Amino acid sequence: MAIYEIKGGKPLHGSVTISGAKNAAVAIIPAAILVRGKCRVENVPDISDVRILLDILRDLGAKVAQPEPGVVELDCSNIKKTHPNPELVRKMRASYYLMGALLSRFGRAEVALPGGCNFASRPIDQHIKGFTALGADVEETEDYVNLKPGMNGLRGNRVSLDVVSVGATMNIIMAGCLIPGTTIIENAAKEPHIVDLANFLNTMGANISGAGTDTVKIRGVTLLSGGSYAIIPDQIEAGTYIAAVAAAGGNVLVENVIPKHMECITSKLQEMGATIINYDDSIRIMCDKRLRNATVKTRPYPGFPTDMQAQICVCMTLADGVSRLTESVYETRFFGYCSELTSMGADILINGKTAIVTGTQTLHGATVRAKDLRAGAALVIAGLAAEGTTYVENIVYIERGYERIVEKLSALGADIKRIEE
Ligand code: EPU
């Protein structure tokens, strides 16, 4: 097992290049199943979730090549299997996209229930509601979802989501691509990675409109035939580095970002006292003084992302005054990291959906444990900002979603090492 050793208290300086978006990549790779032909995908992050998905596709019979770093070529023309390896499927969350992709291409799928970060109850009833509305017969067992065409076959239909769900929106988009008729998703999620998935599929020959609004329309086509596509930069990875500079201090140019996607995050940090300068595809963050308290409520895009809750919480622990941080997507997410931050000297009181964070003068190093991806990222930020040495255990979660985090932070002047225990 490896851990990170962080000697904190050093401001960050220099520039960091953001990788392709994890939550777009983990949808686009399974979406390649819909394509009969070669897809060249660029700006693919080298993270463990991506590596698992590529193994799943190889096992299904796809040809997978990685001709250069960040580029993946996928050819799923000869896939015949509709039962992806359950052990691999259970290693991650986004493997649920195999359901929509296999159903659309083959009319059937037998997919184990996904695993991944377990910071809350994460039902998939809205995905199932969508597949059922499209005419699938869905059998759910304790650990599997089996999909096949119902009596009247698969056909596009209207699906109104009861909750705004990123995963359900993407899964129903995939399911609608290759079936006859038009699928309309109402109350759809609007995250940038949904637009990215739709752009990828349209580049391959799909007919999807409205992605990025709350109504997405998918007109079924008979063939997706291949092409080349570059994944957008990762909004949350960028937000994590920006939060790290806000907490630890410094002056960093964050490159390869879409500043519009970052507004929900940068506007809060500006309010807290950081200086932010937006360029065309980069953002400079400067922070040389104590932050101010803030009130933040997580919401689906374009609101403040739940995936940045833990990172901004660290900033709040070091800000003047009392901050309020309310979670409206995953209520139990605080439990992944707040007690660890408390062991580093933070003052956090959880009251239902709200964390009341009273800023302290300093955090101090401790041995802490990552319980999920973003919780782990927050502990790294806390370690960078703290006095003394922090050991972060269970970093397997962090490496699920952050490409070369140790190298990137070291290049900014952080004293962080990955140690094999
Ligand atoms: N929900 C349901 N039923 C469903 C689906 C969702 O009740 O069928 C609820 C969830 O319980 C939650 C809310 O709807 O309260 C939103 O969940 P959503 O479906 O949007 O989440 P997800 O698709 O499972 C993705 C990201 C998460 C991110 C959320 C919210 C991927 C692979 N995961 O999860 O990312 O937190 O959207 O933005 O795209 C991360 O990157 O660390 C991460 C956890």
Side-chain angles (χ1 to χ4, degrees), residues 113-420:
L113 283 173
C117 288
N118 213 5
F119 47 73
S121 140
R122 300 179 75 185
I124 57 164
D125 57 299
Q126 298 303 302
H127 306 229
I128 304 293
K129 173 178 167 171
F131 301 145
T132 308
L134 302 190
D137 188 355
V138 184
E139 184 204 10
E140 285 182 84
T141 69
E142 209 178 301
D143 51 3
Y144 258 87
V145 177
N146 298 322
L147 302 153
K148 58 183 196 299
M151 287 213 320
N152 299 318
L154 297 170
R155 186 153 196 94
N157 198 355
R158 192 174 284 271
V159 184
S160 182
L161 296 179
D162 302 320
V163 287
V164 179
S165 160
V166 171
T169 302
M170 306 244 245
N171 232 339
I172 300 166
I173 288 177
M174 291 191 213
C177 270
L178 289 175
I179 63 173
T182 300
T183 297
I184 296 173
I185 310 173
E186 285 162 351
N187 199 26
K190 298 182 273 205
E191 269 66 6
H193 29 290
I194 289 171
V195 180
D196 211 36
L197 171 70
N199 287 342
F200 164 79
L201 288 167
N202 284 341
T203 303
M204 301 297 137
N207 186 345
I208 302 163
S209 55
T213 74
D214 53 17
T215 305
V216 182
K217 196 180 270 190
I218 307 109
R219 293 183 179 84
V221 297
T222 50
L223 181 72
L224 303 188
S225 57
S228 187
Y229 190 77
I231 291 177
I232 52 167
D234 196 307
Q235 176 207 30
I236 306 298
E237 189 198 8
T240 301
Y241 284 99
I242 289 171
V245 179
N251 178 342
V252 170
L253 185 67
V254 184
E255 297 186 282
N256 188 35
V257 298
I258 298 176
K260 174 90 193 137
H261 294 168
M262 302 306 303
E263 273 169 16
C264 41
I265 300 163
T266 49
S267 62
K268 264 301 154 192
L269 287 167
Q270 245 167 336
E271 198 183 304
M272 292 177 80
T275 303
I276 305 273
I277 306 171
N278 289 317
Y279 303 102
D280 285 350
D281 58 2
S282 59
I283 291 177
R284 181 171 292 285
I285 164 141
M286 293 178 276
C287 197
D288 59 3
K289 55 183 184 304
R290 219 169 135 71
L291 296 167
R292 290 187 286 274
N293 61 330
T295 298
V296 171
K297 183 169 185 178
T298 66
R299 291 185 191 281
Y301 190 80
F304 188 91
T306 174
D307 290 344
M308 281 297 300
Q309 181 221 92
Q311 299 90 316
I312 200 150
C313 185
V314 179
C315 298
M316 291 171 165
T317 65
L318 290 164
D320 268 339
V322 179
S323 296
R324 292 175 68 83
L325 177 56
T326 302
E327 173 59 43
S328 59
V329 182
Y330 290 114
E331 258 179 61
T332 50
R333 213 163 184 172
F334 293 124
F335 298 109
Y337 65 94
C338 285
S339 58
E340 307 297 293
L341 289 183
T342 306
S343 75
M344 297 177 74
D347 181 346
I348 307 172
L349 183 73
I350 299 170
N351 184 3
K353 293 181 178 184
T354 300
I356 297 155
V357 187
T358 306
T360 52
Q361 283 305 318
T362 50
L363 295 176
H364 52 78
T367 297
V368 288
R369 196 167 175 78
K371 294 190 189 135
D372 67 69
L373 167 61
R374 307 305 172 187
L379 297 177
V380 170
I381 296 176
L384 295 171
E387 283 178 3
T389 304
T390 295
Y391 296 95
V392 183
E393 299 176 340
N394 223 14
I395 58 170
V396 59
Y397 280 111
I398 303 173
E399 296 181 352
R400 199 173 252 184
Y402 288 90
E403 183 176 58
R404 293 185 295 106
I405 186 168
V406 171
E407 288 88 328
K408 288 186 186 189
L409 285 170
S410 301
L412 295 177
D415 188 342
I416 174 169
K417 280 196 201 78
R418 186 181 198 279
I419 301 174
E420 292 290 343

